[in-house]
Amino acid sequence: MSDDDYKIETTDAGASATIPMEAGQIKKGGHIMIKGRPCKVINIAVSKTGKHGHAKCNFTATDIFTGKKLEDMVPGSHGTTVPIVTKNDWEIIDIADDGEVTLMDEGGNQKVDVNLPLVPEGFGEEIRDAWDGGENCIMVTVQAAVGEEAIISFKKVID
């Protein structure tokens, strides 16, 4: 057999984008998967144990990418899934007319698969205006979870 017989398509370590966690361990401000979407918990209401012996946790959360409000009720002792959320800072190199952003990190690595955010309304145009056609140095924070990425904040860098 030659080396050509084995072709590796990906360099992924096979890690999951979510981790299991007991519902009673999730705190306000933490993250939870609701209806297949990564969400940030804004409120938790715990009801008393019922006739089946489980306290129920009623989670109210907002989708971290769309801002949509979602709710879920899970018995406190049962498992649920929590997304692995990462945040990284990038410098804007270019903004295309269609809203695609070219970014560079401190190590010189480039990223071109992120668009200007559509949520909240006008946030993408605010970033474009601050960048001012490359006149200003703008750092953005890109949040990633379960295969999705979005710009969540920006700041102007003053040299």
Side-chain angles (χ1 to χ4, degrees), residues 16-17 36 49 53 64 67 76 91 93 108 118 130 151-152 159:
S16 176
T49 56
I64 62 175
E91 182 183 337
I93 301 300
L118 302 172
I151 296 172
I152 58 165
D159 293 329

Side-chain angles (χ1 to χ4, degrees), residues 7-133:
K7 193 169 192 176
I8 298 173
E9 296 292 329
T10 63
T11 57
D12 189 6
S16 176
T18 60
I19 54 172
M21 185 178 279
E22 194 174 279
Q25 300 298 311
I26 297 172
K27 304 290 180 225
K28 186 176 178 179
H31 294 92
I32 186 171
M33 292 293 290
I34 299 178
K35 296 178 183 150
R37 302 290 304 155
C39 300
K40 184 172 187 138
V41 178
I42 54 174
N43 190 29
I44 303 170
V46 181
S47 63
K48 293 182 180 178
T49 56
K51 64 180 179 181
H52 298 292
H54 293 289
K56 295 236 192 299
C57 297
N58 188 6
F59 295 100
T60 305
T62 55
D63 188 310
I64 62 175
F65 295 116
T66 65
K68 188 176 176 186
K69 196 174 192 178
L70 298 167
E71 290 189 15
D72 196 14
M73 189 175 278
V74 184
S77 59
H78 287 113
T80 187
T81 53
V82 175
I84 298 170
V85 179
T86 59
K87 293 180 184 176
N88 294 309
D89 289 332
W90 298 81
E91 182 183 337
I92 295 178
I93 301 300
D94 186 40
I95 301 176
D97 293 336
D98 64 354
E100 190 171 271
V101 183
T102 303
L103 304 171
M104 185 171 69
D105 68 1
E106 290 177 357
N109 302 314
Q110 286 198 1
K111 177 188 253 340
V112 293
D113 56 351
V114 178
N115 291 326
L116 285 173
L118 302 172
V119 178
E121 190 74 35
F123 185 53
E125 286 307 312
E126 203 176 314
I127 294 171
R128 188 188 293 273
D129 293 343
W131 185 62
D132 195 20

